[in-house]
Amino acid sequence: MAGGTAEGRRVFVSTLPAGPGERRLALAVVLVSVAIFLSAVPFAKVPLGQVWAFIPIYQSALVVNDLITAVLLFGQFGFLRSRALLVLAGGYLFTAFMAVSHILTFPGLFAPTGLLGAGPQSTAWLFMFWHGGFPLCVIAYALLKNDTREIDGPAGRAGVAISSSIAVIVAVVCGLTLLATAGQHALPAIMRGNQYTAVMLSVVSTTWVLSLLALVVLWRRRPHAVLDLWLMVVMCAWVFDIALAAVLNAGRFDLGFYAGRIYGLLAASFVLMVLLLENGKLYARLVQSTAEAEAANRAKSDFLSRMSHELRTPLNGIIGFSQLLELDSLTPEQRESVEHIQKGGRHLLTLINEVLDIARIEAGAISISLEPLPVTDVVGSALDLVRPLARRRRITLVDAVAGDDHVMADRQRLQQVLLNLLSNAVKYNRDDGRVEVSCTKAGSGSIRLAIRDTGRGIAPGMLERLYTPFERLGADRSGVEGTGLGLALSRRLVEAMHGTLHVESTVGEGTTFAVELPPAVGRSAVVAGTNGVPPSAATPKTFGTLLYIEDNPANLRLVERIVSYRPGLTLLSAVQGRHGLELARDHQPRAIVLDLHLPDLDGTEVLARLRGDPSTRDIPVVIVSADATPGQVTRLLAQGADAYLTKPLDVSEFLALLDRLFNRTATPCATTT
């Protein structure tokens, strides 16, 4: 399906007509820019100090701005399927990649003549290619924006178009970088040291004319959308950037050099700010246009999912570029800076996940499925997951949970809470410390799970701030990584399961977190026969760990109950493909059951990674899917699956398959449909 409804299309800045308010604001920005430009022109050739830090700071900000803008425009293209948006998004991606090449080849910054085999002309020519390429993309956008033809087809077609566009941009950037470095002798000399040659004027004039032409073409291609209006503002700033930085000044490190680059950064920010404001307006319109609370919550959840994708993509670019920089010869100070960028990027990824979980709880969009759970099983699974972290700190984990207590809770969410509390107890503990988990009956009749550590404790005056989002009580200065959201999220999850989370702490002695949950009522249903399989079907000879990668709570519960007939089996579960891969590497299960439809990775990709990793390639993998077509079954078995099961599961057949996997003899597992 292309584009979406006509009404839905009109809410984007690329399709929304520019109103009088937007026109007045854009005109005001242009007039201010003109005034600043005219005041800077007489002083453009005034030499200033060589502030080397200005270049990486400015270029890094420019790269981040352009990457995020490209991602947002690609996102709009995914909905609208407009060829014009695809070209414009490619233009912003082109500027981001060219800025990276430009900074790496800048003489004297990372190496005397620049990296990538650069010479004295490389950086200047990359600037010309960069500032000539973007106006060409804007011209193409203006010529295509009234074209009603769309890139039609399923959602995958949009992904193919975006991937192809990125590949083309990367190829063009690599080609131009190669021309400006290895092929620089074939280009006219436009720099003599830090000063311009006579040839520079003709070259830069061509670039400047292209920017002016892009502005004229945009103006003539009416009607103007909000995006068109701000692109014209961008091109005005782009014209001033080139004029100050390469036409009216004398060379590098004069006032024109610095002022022109400030104009360039502003030019990179205008459309980004409009797109970010658009996202806020889209959210407001979604909420206002929804009559019922349930529909409003659904809209908010969709918006959060979109923002999650759009935030992760630029972070991936930032982390990726920092890794590329690590491959170069850097000074210790530069390498430390790159490490800080990577650490910050990973921290932001964790932060996004936890913010989204809290937002979903507040929106009522989180799925909680209460069922009787044995406390010993859940605590044991959480302790197993945190044991490697404790081992590195030489911290003793004590499981003091005894008896047959059951609580009413969601298994996945309770394990998430316990894992967060146990991780905190280890991270904020002292080396060679101790963490103890106990289970008792509370006075109210609820079941109390207590996690006690031997850390430094928390002062009484700080306890009331403990569950405040982003509040880390000074731990951010201790070097211990964290987001300040884990406890706030845990408290909301426990309350969603009709429980409470308490804390007691003594400075110098340690802290105890207590989760109180209602006891299970009528838990005999858990041990009764399920799906017609009698309890006698249990086979005590079957031992080991089974990993189930599945995001559907109902399917998870079904397999949990089936596995309960094999008391010797330990079940680990993951709702995301990446988490499942981590568990497979860390815990080396005897077998893996894999769903094909996961929220982050396709099941076929997870299978390929399992088979490509030496540490997991020999673990049997059972595919579970509702797709029973012979071609699908044959393809996945050929890719390395040991068996293929279709939904709904035949419980007896599934148990028999587990017995074969965990007591492997000479015959491989058969395909089951």
mmCIF file of all heavy atoms in Angstrom, residues 63 100 315-328 330 334-335 337-346:
data_model
loop_
_atom_site.group_PDB
_atom_site.id
_atom_site.type_symbol
_atom_site.label_atom_id
_atom_site.label_comp_id
_atom_site.label_asym_id
_atom_site.label_seq_id
_atom_site.Cartn_x
_atom_site.Cartn_y
_atom_site.Cartn_z
ATOM 1 N N VAL A 63 27.425 16.748 11.301
ATOM 2 C CA VAL A 63 27.172 15.354 10.926
ATOM 3 C C VAL A 63 25.947 14.816 11.651
ATOM 4 O O VAL A 63 25.065 14.192 11.054
ATOM 5 C CB VAL A 63 28.416 14.479 11.230
ATOM 6 C CG1 VAL A 63 28.078 12.997 11.097
ATOM 7 C CG2 VAL A 63 29.561 14.841 10.292
ATOM 8 N N VAL A 100 32.201 14.084 7.034
ATOM 9 C CA VAL A 100 33.141 13.159 7.666
ATOM 10 C C VAL A 100 34.439 13.092 6.864
ATOM 11 O O VAL A 100 35.541 13.175 7.424
ATOM 12 C CB VAL A 100 32.506 11.756 7.792
ATOM 13 C CG1 VAL A 100 33.540 10.748 8.283
ATOM 14 C CG2 VAL A 100 31.317 11.784 8.735
ATOM 15 N N LEU A 315 21.764 7.177 16.217
ATOM 16 C CA LEU A 315 22.729 6.709 17.207
ATOM 17 C C LEU A 315 23.626 5.626 16.613
ATOM 18 O O LEU A 315 24.820 5.574 16.911
ATOM 19 C CB LEU A 315 21.992 6.165 18.436
ATOM 20 C CG LEU A 315 21.517 7.201 19.449
ATOM 21 C CD1 LEU A 315 20.714 6.547 20.549
ATOM 22 C CD2 LEU A 315 22.697 7.950 20.036
ATOM 23 N N ASN A 316 23.061 4.780 15.790
ATOM 24 C CA ASN A 316 23.861 3.755 15.125
ATOM 25 C C ASN A 316 24.927 4.394 14.248
ATOM 26 O O ASN A 316 26.069 3.939 14.202
ATOM 27 C CB ASN A 316 22.946 2.849 14.293
ATOM 28 C CG ASN A 316 23.711 1.724 13.632
ATOM 29 O OD1 ASN A 316 24.325 0.908 14.297
ATOM 30 N ND2 ASN A 316 23.687 1.692 12.316
ATOM 31 N N GLY A 317 24.549 5.477 13.548
ATOM 32 C CA GLY A 317 25.533 6.176 12.725
ATOM 33 C C GLY A 317 26.635 6.801 13.566
ATOM 34 O O GLY A 317 27.813 6.746 13.215
ATOM 35 N N ILE A 318 26.249 7.405 14.697
ATOM 36 C CA ILE A 318 27.244 8.051 15.559
ATOM 37 C C ILE A 318 28.230 7.017 16.093
ATOM 38 O O ILE A 318 29.449 7.201 16.048
ATOM 39 C CB ILE A 318 26.532 8.784 16.720
ATOM 40 C CG1 ILE A 318 25.711 9.959 16.176
ATOM 41 C CG2 ILE A 318 27.534 9.284 17.746
ATOM 42 C CD1 ILE A 318 24.777 10.566 17.185
ATOM 43 N N ILE A 319 27.696 5.904 16.602
ATOM 44 C CA ILE A 319 28.575 4.866 17.148
ATOM 45 C C ILE A 319 29.443 4.269 16.033
ATOM 46 O O ILE A 319 30.631 4.001 16.225
ATOM 47 C CB ILE A 319 27.739 3.778 17.837
ATOM 48 C CG1 ILE A 319 27.020 4.372 19.060
ATOM 49 C CG2 ILE A 319 28.616 2.606 18.263
ATOM 50 C CD1 ILE A 319 26.020 3.435 19.702
ATOM 51 N N GLY A 320 28.848 4.072 14.853
ATOM 52 C CA GLY A 320 29.608 3.505 13.747
ATOM 53 C C GLY A 320 30.761 4.389 13.318
ATOM 54 O O GLY A 320 31.882 3.912 13.097
ATOM 55 N N PHE A 321 30.508 5.707 13.196
ATOM 56 C CA PHE A 321 31.581 6.609 12.786
ATOM 57 C C PHE A 321 32.679 6.674 13.853
ATOM 58 O O PHE A 321 33.866 6.787 13.535
ATOM 59 C CB PHE A 321 31.031 8.008 12.523
ATOM 60 C CG PHE A 321 30.361 8.139 11.184
ATOM 61 C CD1 PHE A 321 29.039 8.540 11.083
ATOM 62 C CD2 PHE A 321 31.037 7.850 10.022
ATOM 63 C CE1 PHE A 321 28.415 8.651 9.856
ATOM 64 C CE2 PHE A 321 30.427 7.953 8.790
ATOM 65 C CZ PHE A 321 29.117 8.350 8.706
ATOM 66 N N SER A 322 32.288 6.622 15.117
ATOM 67 C CA SER A 322 33.315 6.635 16.161
ATOM 68 C C SER A 322 34.186 5.379 16.074
ATOM 69 O O SER A 322 35.391 5.433 16.335
ATOM 70 C CB SER A 322 32.669 6.747 17.542
ATOM 71 O OG SER A 322 31.902 5.600 17.837
ATOM 72 N N GLN A 323 33.577 4.257 15.699
ATOM 73 C CA GLN A 323 34.374 3.042 15.520
ATOM 74 C C GLN A 323 35.310 3.162 14.328
ATOM 75 O O GLN A 323 36.432 2.634 14.359
ATOM 76 C CB GLN A 323 33.441 1.843 15.348
ATOM 77 C CG GLN A 323 32.664 1.488 16.607
ATOM 78 C CD GLN A 323 31.617 0.426 16.375
ATOM 79 O OE1 GLN A 323 31.190 0.215 15.249
ATOM 80 N NE2 GLN A 323 31.195 -0.233 17.437
ATOM 81 N N LEU A 324 34.874 3.845 13.266
ATOM 82 C CA LEU A 324 35.764 4.074 12.132
ATOM 83 C C LEU A 324 36.956 4.934 12.541
ATOM 84 O O LEU A 324 38.089 4.692 12.119
ATOM 85 C CB LEU A 324 34.992 4.757 10.996
ATOM 86 C CG LEU A 324 33.982 3.892 10.235
ATOM 87 C CD1 LEU A 324 33.242 4.739 9.207
ATOM 88 C CD2 LEU A 324 34.685 2.730 9.550
ATOM 89 N N LEU A 325 36.695 5.938 13.371
ATOM 90 C CA LEU A 325 37.792 6.787 13.822
ATOM 91 C C LEU A 325 38.812 5.992 14.633
ATOM 92 O O LEU A 325 40.016 6.278 14.594
ATOM 93 C CB LEU A 325 37.252 7.950 14.665
ATOM 94 C CG LEU A 325 36.546 9.073 13.899
ATOM 95 C CD1 LEU A 325 35.940 10.069 14.867
ATOM 96 C CD2 LEU A 325 37.523 9.783 12.964
ATOM 97 N N GLU A 326 38.330 4.974 15.364
ATOM 98 C CA GLU A 326 39.236 4.158 16.165
ATOM 99 C C GLU A 326 40.256 3.411 15.309
ATOM 100 O O GLU A 326 41.327 3.046 15.791
ATOM 101 C CB GLU A 326 38.438 3.139 16.985
ATOM 102 C CG GLU A 326 37.943 3.678 18.305
ATOM 103 C CD GLU A 326 37.389 2.565 19.188
ATOM 104 O OE1 GLU A 326 36.751 1.660 18.648
ATOM 105 O OE2 GLU A 326 37.610 2.619 20.409
ATOM 106 N N LEU A 327 39.892 3.180 14.041
ATOM 107 C CA LEU A 327 40.798 2.447 13.162
ATOM 108 C C LEU A 327 41.982 3.302 12.730
ATOM 109 O O LEU A 327 42.979 2.775 12.231
ATOM 110 C CB LEU A 327 40.045 1.945 11.924
ATOM 111 C CG LEU A 327 38.868 1.005 12.195
ATOM 112 C CD1 LEU A 327 38.162 0.660 10.894
ATOM 113 C CD2 LEU A 327 39.350 -0.257 12.900
ATOM 114 N N ASP A 328 41.854 4.636 12.871
ATOM 115 C CA ASP A 328 42.933 5.527 12.456
ATOM 116 C C ASP A 328 43.956 5.687 13.574
ATOM 117 O O ASP A 328 43.738 5.328 14.733
ATOM 118 C CB ASP A 328 42.362 6.890 12.065
ATOM 119 C CG ASP A 328 41.425 6.787 10.873
ATOM 120 O OD1 ASP A 328 41.734 6.008 9.956
ATOM 121 O OD2 ASP A 328 40.393 7.476 10.868
ATOM 122 N N LEU A 330 45.363 7.643 16.217
ATOM 123 C CA LEU A 330 44.907 8.773 17.019
ATOM 124 C C LEU A 330 45.821 8.961 18.218
ATOM 125 O O LEU A 330 46.465 8.027 18.693
ATOM 126 C CB LEU A 330 43.466 8.541 17.509
ATOM 127 C CG LEU A 330 42.393 8.281 16.447
ATOM 128 C CD1 LEU A 330 41.062 7.994 17.116
ATOM 129 C CD2 LEU A 330 42.267 9.473 15.511
ATOM 130 N N GLN A 334 42.681 11.896 21.705
ATOM 131 C CA GLN A 334 41.635 11.695 20.696
ATOM 132 C C GLN A 334 40.948 10.347 20.873
ATOM 133 O O GLN A 334 39.732 10.232 20.747
ATOM 134 C CB GLN A 334 42.247 11.799 19.303
ATOM 135 C CG GLN A 334 42.706 13.208 18.943
ATOM 136 C CD GLN A 334 43.585 13.233 17.704
ATOM 137 O OE1 GLN A 334 44.103 12.198 17.288
ATOM 138 N NE2 GLN A 334 43.778 14.399 17.122
ATOM 139 N N ARG A 335 41.725 9.310 21.193
ATOM 140 C CA ARG A 335 41.137 7.985 21.399
ATOM 141 C C ARG A 335 40.211 7.989 22.609
ATOM 142 O O ARG A 335 39.156 7.358 22.606
ATOM 143 C CB ARG A 335 42.246 6.952 21.581
ATOM 144 C CG ARG A 335 41.733 5.513 21.560
ATOM 145 C CD ARG A 335 42.894 4.541 21.436
ATOM 146 N NE ARG A 335 43.600 4.724 20.172
ATOM 147 C CZ ARG A 335 43.178 4.237 19.016
ATOM 148 N NH1 ARG A 335 42.054 3.547 18.950
ATOM 149 N NH2 ARG A 335 43.879 4.431 17.919
ATOM 150 N N SER A 337 38.487 10.531 23.602
ATOM 151 C CA SER A 337 37.267 11.227 23.177
ATOM 152 C C SER A 337 36.347 10.298 22.404
ATOM 153 O O SER A 337 35.129 10.300 22.589
ATOM 154 C CB SER A 337 37.630 12.442 22.314
ATOM 155 O OG SER A 337 38.409 13.360 23.039
ATOM 156 N N VAL A 338 36.935 9.480 21.507
ATOM 157 C CA VAL A 338 36.126 8.532 20.733
ATOM 158 C C VAL A 338 35.458 7.520 21.661
ATOM 159 O O VAL A 338 34.291 7.160 21.484
ATOM 160 C CB VAL A 338 37.000 7.822 19.684
ATOM 161 C CG1 VAL A 338 36.233 6.688 19.013
ATOM 162 C CG2 VAL A 338 37.479 8.815 18.631
ATOM 163 N N GLU A 339 36.184 7.064 22.680
ATOM 164 C CA GLU A 339 35.604 6.111 23.632
ATOM 165 C C GLU A 339 34.436 6.730 24.384
ATOM 166 O O GLU A 339 33.433 6.068 24.666
ATOM 167 C CB GLU A 339 36.679 5.634 24.612
ATOM 168 C CG GLU A 339 37.724 4.725 23.966
ATOM 169 C CD GLU A 339 38.880 4.411 24.904
ATOM 170 O OE1 GLU A 339 38.901 4.974 26.024
ATOM 171 O OE2 GLU A 339 39.764 3.626 24.511
ATOM 172 N N HIS A 340 34.544 8.026 24.698
ATOM 173 C CA HIS A 340 33.433 8.711 25.364
ATOM 174 C C HIS A 340 32.204 8.772 24.454
ATOM 175 O O HIS A 340 31.065 8.636 24.915
ATOM 176 C CB HIS A 340 33.849 10.125 25.776
ATOM 177 C CG HIS A 340 34.675 10.166 27.030
ATOM 178 N ND1 HIS A 340 34.230 9.635 28.224
ATOM 179 C CD2 HIS A 340 35.915 10.664 27.281
ATOM 180 C CE1 HIS A 340 35.162 9.819 29.161
ATOM 181 N NE2 HIS A 340 36.190 10.436 28.612
ATOM 182 N N ILE A 341 32.435 8.983 23.154
ATOM 183 C CA ILE A 341 31.307 9.011 22.207
ATOM 184 C C ILE A 341 30.612 7.659 22.185
ATOM 185 O O ILE A 341 29.383 7.567 22.240
ATOM 186 C CB ILE A 341 31.803 9.388 20.799
ATOM 187 C CG1 ILE A 341 32.315 10.847 20.775
ATOM 188 C CG2 ILE A 341 30.691 9.226 19.769
ATOM 189 C CD1 ILE A 341 32.988 11.230 19.481
ATOM 190 N N GLN A 342 31.380 6.583 22.114
ATOM 191 C CA GLN A 342 30.790 5.243 22.074
ATOM 192 C C GLN A 342 30.049 4.919 23.364
ATOM 193 O O GLN A 342 28.938 4.383 23.341
ATOM 194 C CB GLN A 342 31.877 4.204 21.834
ATOM 195 C CG GLN A 342 32.452 4.236 20.433
ATOM 196 C CD GLN A 342 33.435 3.103 20.197
ATOM 197 O OE1 GLN A 342 34.070 2.623 21.133
ATOM 198 N NE2 GLN A 342 33.563 2.683 18.964
ATOM 199 N N LYS A 343 30.642 5.261 24.479
ATOM 200 C CA LYS A 343 29.999 4.992 25.768
ATOM 201 C C LYS A 343 28.688 5.763 25.881
ATOM 202 O O LYS A 343 27.671 5.231 26.339
ATOM 203 C CB LYS A 343 30.954 5.373 26.903
ATOM 204 C CG LYS A 343 30.413 5.083 28.291
ATOM 205 C CD LYS A 343 31.443 5.459 29.355
ATOM 206 C CE LYS A 343 30.915 5.204 30.756
ATOM 207 N NZ LYS A 343 31.896 5.601 31.795
ATOM 208 N N GLY A 344 28.706 7.019 25.439
ATOM 209 C CA GLY A 344 27.485 7.819 25.476
ATOM 210 C C GLY A 344 26.409 7.274 24.558
ATOM 211 O O GLY A 344 25.221 7.269 24.898
ATOM 212 N N GLY A 345 26.800 6.770 23.383
ATOM 213 C CA GLY A 345 25.822 6.200 22.457
ATOM 214 C C GLY A 345 25.144 4.975 23.036
ATOM 215 O O GLY A 345 23.926 4.820 22.947
ATOM 216 N N ARG A 346 25.931 4.082 23.659
ATOM 217 C CA ARG A 346 25.335 2.883 24.257
ATOM 218 C C ARG A 346 24.435 3.252 25.424
ATOM 219 O O ARG A 346 23.388 2.631 25.650
ATOM 220 C CB ARG A 346 26.450 1.936 24.723
ATOM 221 C CG ARG A 346 27.306 1.402 23.581
ATOM 222 C CD ARG A 346 28.240 0.304 24.069
ATOM 223 N NE ARG A 346 29.230 -0.029 23.057
ATOM 224 C CZ ARG A 346 30.474 0.428 23.050
ATOM 225 N NH1 ARG A 346 30.874 1.243 24.014
ATOM 226 N NH2 ARG A 346 31.314 0.095 22.085
#
